[in-house]
């Protein structure tokens, strides 16, 4: 049975190219003092190793609309590649449209809660079958990142 303090929120999953047991470093924290819950990733990734939390939608795809993902992020001693957020629109399970903050907007160091945004630079295609929002701990990174209030806006 899962500990309610660390169970993952409904609709969210974990993935990436993890090393043994590394997905256990993606946790869901409920802070009763702040009356808030958030996703925490605290680990070290190597060159070809990254992990993420994600949520996908497969119904009511906003075809023909602009998409924006906003996420509040807090970092502690995050070095290397850092964190990133991304949107992927899929056709037959493959990325047809994709945008990420990686290599464009640095999310690193030690920084209090800050809102980050990534926007698809084109409208959602009519053949898109699913949309996934990613909260990434990129390769070659160490430290801690917290993600909160992820919103897909269209």
């Amino acid at each position: 049975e899962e500990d309610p303090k660390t169970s993952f929120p409904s609709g969210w999953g974990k993935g990436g190219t993890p090393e043994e047991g590394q997905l256990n470093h993606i946790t869901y924290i409920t802070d009763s003092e702040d009356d808030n819950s958030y996703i925490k990733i605290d680990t070290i990734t190597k060159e070809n190793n990254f992990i993420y939390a994600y949520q996908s939608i497969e119904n009511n795809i906003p075809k023909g609309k602009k998409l924006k993902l906003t996420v509040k992020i807090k970092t502690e001693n995050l070095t290397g590649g850092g964190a990133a957020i991304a949107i992927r629109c899929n056709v037959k399970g493959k990325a047809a449209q994709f945008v990420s903050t990686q290599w464009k907007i640095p999310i690193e160091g030690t920084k209090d809660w800050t809102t980050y945004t990534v926007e698809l630079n084109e409208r959602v295609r009519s053949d898109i079958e699913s949309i996934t929002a990613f909260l990434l701990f990129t390769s070659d990174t160490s430290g801690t990142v917290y993600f909160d209030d992820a919103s897909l806006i269209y």
Side-chain angles (χ1 to χ4, degrees):
E1 186 173 295
E2 278 195 300
D3 178 343
K5 290 181 185 158
T6 58
S7 63
F8 228 52
S10 176
W12 284 87
K14 304 175 186 182
T17 57
E19 293 191 332
E20 183 76 31
Q22 199 166 38
L23 292 183
N24 296 332
H25 292 269
I26 304 175
T27 55
Y28 186 59
I29 307 291
T30 300
D31 187 337
S32 53
E33 283 182 31
D34 288 350
D35 193 27
N36 192 22
S37 300
Y38 44 83
I39 293 172
K40 174 184 178 183
I41 305 178
D42 182 3
T43 192
I44 297 171
T45 52
K46 295 182 179 162
E47 188 179 344
N48 297 311
N49 162 226
F50 65 94
I51 59 176
Y52 54 77
Y54 71 94
Q55 185 173 46
S56 296
I57 58 170
E58 296 174 355
N59 299 316
N60 303 317
I61 303 294
K63 297 175 181 185
K65 300 216 176 183
K66 290 270 199 176
L67 267 188
K68 182 163 64 173
L69 174 64
T70 64
V71 184
K72 285 186 191 167
I73 301 174
K74 180 171 120 175
T75 55
E76 292 174 355
N77 302 313
L78 197 64
T79 59
I85 58 174
I87 303 169
R88 189 175 83 187
C89 301
N90 301 312
V91 176
K92 297 187 179 6
K94 298 209 182 313
Q97 295 176 286
F98 181 82
V99 65
S100 170
T101 58
Q102 194 171 3
W103 301 299
K104 297 177 193 142
I105 301 169
I107 304 173
E108 59 193 32
T110 298
K111 198 169 185 182
D112 206 359
W113 292 108
T114 303
T115 301
Y116 291 89
T117 301
V118 67
E119 196 165 349
L120 200 60
N121 63 1
E122 56 190 333
R123 295 185 183 279
V124 176
R125 293 184 358 197
S126 62
D127 60 341
I128 296 300
E129 298 165 354
S130 69
I131 298 171
T132 304
F134 292 95
L135 312 177
L136 297 133
F137 193 99
T138 66
S139 56
D140 235 354
T141 297
S142 68
T144 306
V145 62
Y146 304 87
F147 297 98
D148 197 9
D149 293 338
S151 298
L152 196 58
I153 302 162
Y154 47 87

